[in-house]
Amino acid sequence: MTRTTSLERRSSHPHGRLERTLIDAETLEERVRELGAEITADYADRDLVLVCLLKGGIYFTADLSRAIDLPAAVEFVRARSYAGTESSGQVQLSWIDGLDIAGRDVLIVEDIVDTGLTLIEIWRALEEKGAASLAICALLYKEKRLAHPFPVRYIGFAIEDVFVVGYGLDYDERFRNLPHIAVFQPESARSPSR
Ligand code: 5GP
């Protein structure tokens, strides 16, 4: 079975379908390697803790952490704000309480920065826990949507204002396991009269 056939089988959902590939797997891999090298140079001799924002950041963090040539710690926080393709405007954070980051250099690893609301919430929460330094690494960055400007130190790709899935990003908990980033077109956007 070829990759294309498999992808075609997975490409539809009752509420929409995959429209096109935005970033292929090879391009993702190369950029993650570059980010890893940059972070390795910047954090040499520091006590680096990667804080992965779940669920979307899971694949990016797994690959990025292995591209960083330092004994970094990896921690996980769950952040929820989206329902379907729309942000709810409310961010819920879980698993912050157990984090041991006081006096350590924390790099927040996020799948995508959209409005920036999630980052504001997580930044505040981690700052309160006494991190020595805080920075953000986002795989994707939707510049046009940014309602809450925030300094993102490492950006994988700046992308257009489209809803994307794959490499950790979901629509309704589907498509996280696509190896590339694809544009997802909700059914309502394709057929507004229906
Ligand atoms: P923000 O708080 O910056 O508006 O949104 C960040 C979170 O919203 C991301 O971590 C992600 O979970 C979700 N999100 C924003 N844009 C997209 C998108 O295009 N696709 C998917 N699957 N999730 C998105």
Side-chain angles (χ1 to χ4, degrees):
M1 189 184 355
T2 67
R3 194 91 188 151
T4 312
T5 311
S6 160
L7 175 59
E8 281 167 356
R9 270 199 305 111
R10 290 181 291 165
S11 71
S12 65
H13 180 280
H15 300 126
R17 68 181 319 280
L18 297 179
E19 196 187 68
R20 64 191 155 97
T21 297
L22 191 65
I23 307 168
D24 63 41
E26 291 73 24
T27 308
L28 282 173
E29 194 182 326
E30 197 182 312
R31 185 71 187 118
V32 170
R33 219 179 299 125
E34 287 171 1
L35 288 170
E38 219 181 305
I39 293 164
T40 301
D42 292 350
Y43 284 87
D45 303 322
R46 291 173 57 190
D47 186 9
L48 176 61
V49 183
L50 303 174
V51 174
C52 166
L53 292 199
L54 292 173
K55 297 179 186 177
I58 184 168
Y59 296 95
F60 180 39
T61 305
D63 289 342
L64 181 70
S65 58
R66 288 176 293 176
I68 296 173
D69 191 14
L70 296 170
V74 184
E75 298 285 356
F76 300 89
V77 167
R78 176 121 193 237
R80 272 176 285 197
S81 65
Y82 259 59
T85 61
E86 295 301 321
S87 172
S88 67
Q90 300 273 320
V91 181
Q92 290 172 278
L93 296 178
S94 322
W95 309 336
I96 286 270
D97 290 350
L99 282 186
D100 172 21
I101 56 162
R104 305 175 79 186
D105 296 296
V106 174
L107 184 60
I108 301 163
V109 183
E110 154 115 289
D111 51 356
I112 187 165
V113 178
D114 182 16
T115 64
L117 192 66
T118 304
L119 287 183
I120 289 183
E121 294 300 323
I122 183 87
W123 188 281
R124 251 190 230 139
L126 296 181
E127 213 169 29
E128 266 176 26
K129 294 189 78 71
S133 71
L134 272 177
I136 298 158
C137 176
L139 178 67
L140 306 174
Y141 185 82
K142 288 188 198 168
E143 213 158 8
K144 278 205 181 138
R145 292 260 305 166
L146 206 63
H148 308 277
F150 219 81
V152 179
R153 188 182 297 170
Y154 306 97
I155 295 175
F157 304 88
I159 64 163
E160 57 206 275
D161 182 13
V162 286
F163 190 82
V164 289
V165 294
Y167 198 62
L169 289 142
D170 74 310
Y171 174 78
D172 199 16
E173 293 302 329
R174 304 296 166 96
F175 305 118
R176 290 193 198 277
N177 60 330
L178 282 180
H180 58 274
I181 303 283
V183 175
F184 184 83
Q185 195 64 45
E187 187 65 37
S188 55
R190 287 194 297 136
S191 316
S193 57
R194 258 195 250 166

